[in-house]
């Protein structure tokens, strides 16, 4: 019996040693009594894996079961976040000081995590530059918009050539695809041909290296959906659109449900100066345009300015996510070109300006400085 017991203990010991674990350890100083969370950043949601109350030295140690494909986690105290990726059974060491742990930290033990840090800092710098441009009163709205778009193009080119295309199978290449400016994806996999190719390149590489990975399958689905959207868009643009039923006066009313499910009519805004904006959040230009609209809204809403934004995004869930925090009226039209034909919208985005009497006074092609035009009507 004793012999069999010793064998059983030995077998259990071997099994225990063979378990595949990853480790995340280190120290976050200046954070005594704060709770540090290790969270799994899944495809659809973020879940807490473990947590630790930090002592005076800030030491922490987490571990978890390794997966067959790379997985993403983050260390978080309050709103300070450090993103990390786990490929297998490595030990990742993170050292930082609160409350600047998100921008000033050291990570060792993982090339992927080091590259993710580089990408995170680049993203923060992009956000800072975009905010500076949008708040520069010396620039017109159009100049501000063009400058931000230029920043985004430069950023994407740098990330594609330096982080994604050389090693599309790496965790940091996947991480780069889902970076955002504000709440908008920098790489647009829904309607931008070039960005869809970037998603497809990473998806193909992940299929090769991690054939059963859910993330790889998800990338493929996103790329395929984007290709479909592009084909539909190109087909719609090739159609001949009827001559506009409206040019500069009178108002064709629009009544649609907003992102909270309430019915909103354009005509109900009589008495306000209204920017009627036809928009696609999945377009590459959307982040910069939303920043521009936010600036206008913040400046003039108190004086009687309103935005009635009509989205033509095919994905309702995506649209609701993008508009959840927007302060103006956000409605959506689903597969119905009626309003586009009525207003002779041939390219997107497109806007119209409406005075306090519910009269159309201009559109993008006739308004050189939208901010000045709004001030004149107010």
């Amino acid at each position: 019996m004793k012999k069999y017991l010793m064998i059983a203990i030995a077998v259990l010991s071997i099994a225990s040693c063979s378990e595949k674990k990853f480790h995340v350890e280190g120290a976050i100083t200046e954070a005594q009594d704060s709770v540090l969370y290790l969270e799994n950043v899944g495809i659809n949601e973020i879940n807490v894996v473990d947590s630790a109350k930090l002592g005076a030295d800030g030491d922490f140690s987490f571990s978890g079961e390794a997966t067959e494909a790379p997985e993403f986690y983050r260390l978080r105290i309050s709103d300070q976040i450090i993103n990390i990726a786990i490929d297998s059974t490595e030990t990742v060491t993170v050292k930082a000081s609160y409350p600047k742990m998100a921008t000033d930290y050291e990570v060792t033990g993982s090339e992927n995590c080091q590259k993710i840090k580089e990408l995170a800092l680049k993203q923060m710098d992009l956000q800072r530059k975009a905010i500076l441009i949008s708040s520069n009163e010396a620039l017109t709205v159009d100049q501000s918009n063009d400058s931000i778009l230029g920043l985004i193009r430069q950023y994407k080119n740098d990330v594609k050539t330096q982080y994604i295309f050389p090693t599309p199978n790496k965790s940091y290449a996947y991480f780069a695809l889902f970076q955002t400016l504000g709440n908008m994806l920098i790489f647009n996999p829904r309607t931008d041909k070039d960005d869809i190719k970037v998603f497809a390149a990473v998806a193909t590489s992940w299929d090769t290296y991690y054939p059963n990975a859910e993330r790889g399958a998800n990338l493929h689905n996103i790329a395929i959906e984007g290709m479909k959207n592009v084909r539909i868009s190109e087909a719609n643009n090739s159609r001949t659109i009827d001559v506009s039923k409206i040019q500069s006066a009178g108002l064709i009313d629009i009544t649609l449900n907003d992102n909270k499910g309430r019915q909103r009519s354009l005509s109900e805004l009589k008495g306000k100066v209204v920017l009627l904006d036809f928009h696609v959040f999945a377009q590459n230009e959307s982040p910069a345009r939303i920043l521009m609209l936010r600036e206008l809204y913040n400046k003039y809403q108190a004086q009687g300015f309103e935005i009635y934004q009509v989205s033509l995004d095919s994905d309702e869930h995506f649209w609701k996510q993008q508009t959840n925090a927007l302060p103006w009226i956000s409605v959506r039209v689903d597969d119905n070109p009626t309003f586009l034909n009525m207003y002779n919208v041939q390219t997107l985005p497109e806007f119209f300006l409406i005075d306090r009497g519910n009269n159309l006074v201009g559109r993008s092609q006739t308004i050189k400085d939208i901010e000045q035009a709004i001030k004149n009507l107010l």
Side-chain angles (χ1 to χ4, degrees), residues 85-115:
I86 300 296
D87 273 357
S88 56
T89 58
E90 72 260 57
T91 295
V92 177
T93 303
V94 177
K95 295 183 178 180
S97 179
Y98 191 76
K100 296 183 178 181
M101 58 181 274
T103 56
D104 187 14
Y105 69 92
E106 296 180 4
V107 58
T108 56
S110 168
E111 180 195 14
N112 278 303
C113 291
Q114 291 171 348
K115 295 290 186 181

Side-chain angles (χ1 to χ4, degrees), residues 319-363:
W319 164 69
K320 285 184 177 180
Q321 284 184 321
Q322 301 305 305
T323 60
N324 183 55
L326 297 181
W328 53 76
I329 298 171
S330 298
V331 299
R332 174 176 166 271
V333 57
D334 185 16
D335 297 328
N336 186 345
T338 301
F339 295 123
L340 296 184
N341 292 339
M342 284 181 174
Y343 281 89
N344 193 27
V345 176
Q346 301 190 40
T347 59
L348 293 169
E350 174 66 287
F351 73 82
F352 296 80
L353 204 54
I354 302 167
D355 67 16
R356 294 183 186 272
N358 258 184
N359 298 304
L360 281 173
V361 296
R363 62 188 299 167

Side-chain angles (χ1 to χ4, degrees), residues 26 30 36 63 109 118 192 195 201-203 210 213 290 332 358:
E30 306 299 325
L36 176 67
S63 64
E118 293 175 15
D192 187 290
D195 291 355
V202 177
Y210 318 108
I290 293 299
R332 174 176 166 271
N358 258 184

Side-chain angles (χ1 to χ4, degrees), residues 27-32 54-59 77 95-99:
I28 309 294
T29 59
E30 306 299 325
Q32 185 174 359
L54 299 178
D57 57 7
D59 289 347
I77 300 178
K95 295 183 178 180
S97 179
Y98 191 76

Side-chain angles (χ1 to χ4, degrees), residues 98-151:
Y98 191 76
K100 296 183 178 181
M101 58 181 274
T103 56
D104 187 14
Y105 69 92
E106 296 180 4
V107 58
T108 56
S110 168
E111 180 195 14
N112 278 303
C113 291
Q114 291 171 348
K115 295 290 186 181
I116 285 174
K117 175 186 176 182
E118 293 175 15
L119 286 164
L121 294 178
K122 285 177 178 289
Q123 177 190 19
M124 293 175 191
D125 187 54
L126 174 65
Q127 180 84 23
R128 180 185 61 80
K129 289 177 180 177
I131 291 173
L132 286 175
I133 291 172
S134 64
S135 60
N136 187 347
E137 296 184 357
L139 299 175
T140 66
V141 172
D142 289 339
Q143 288 172 333
S144 176
N145 194 30
D146 289 343
S147 297
I148 293 173
L149 285 175
L151 280 178

Side-chain angles (χ1 to χ4, degrees), residues 219-289:
L219 287 180
H220 255 308
N221 291 337
I222 291 173
I224 291 171
E225 182 67 22
M227 294 174 189
K228 176 183 174 183
N229 291 340
V230 168
R231 287 195 298 269
I232 293 173
S233 177
E234 290 176 344
N236 288 337
N237 290 338
S238 67
R239 297 174 185 168
T240 301
I241 299 178
D242 295 337
V243 176
S244 176
K245 296 181 180 180
I246 184 166
Q247 292 296 329
S248 61
L251 177 72
I252 296 177
D253 199 12
I254 297 175
T255 301
L256 292 166
N257 288 334
D258 67 11
N259 52 358
K260 303 296 189 300
R262 296 172 296 184
Q263 194 173 80
R264 304 301 298 268
S265 296
L266 187 58
S267 58
E268 74 186 34
L269 300 176
K270 187 173 183 179
K272 294 178 180 279
V273 173
V274 180
L275 181 73
L276 170 60
D277 186 58
F278 291 93
H279 190 85
V280 177
F281 285 90
Q283 283 187 332
N284 190 48
E285 299 84 359
S286 178
R289 186 174 179 81

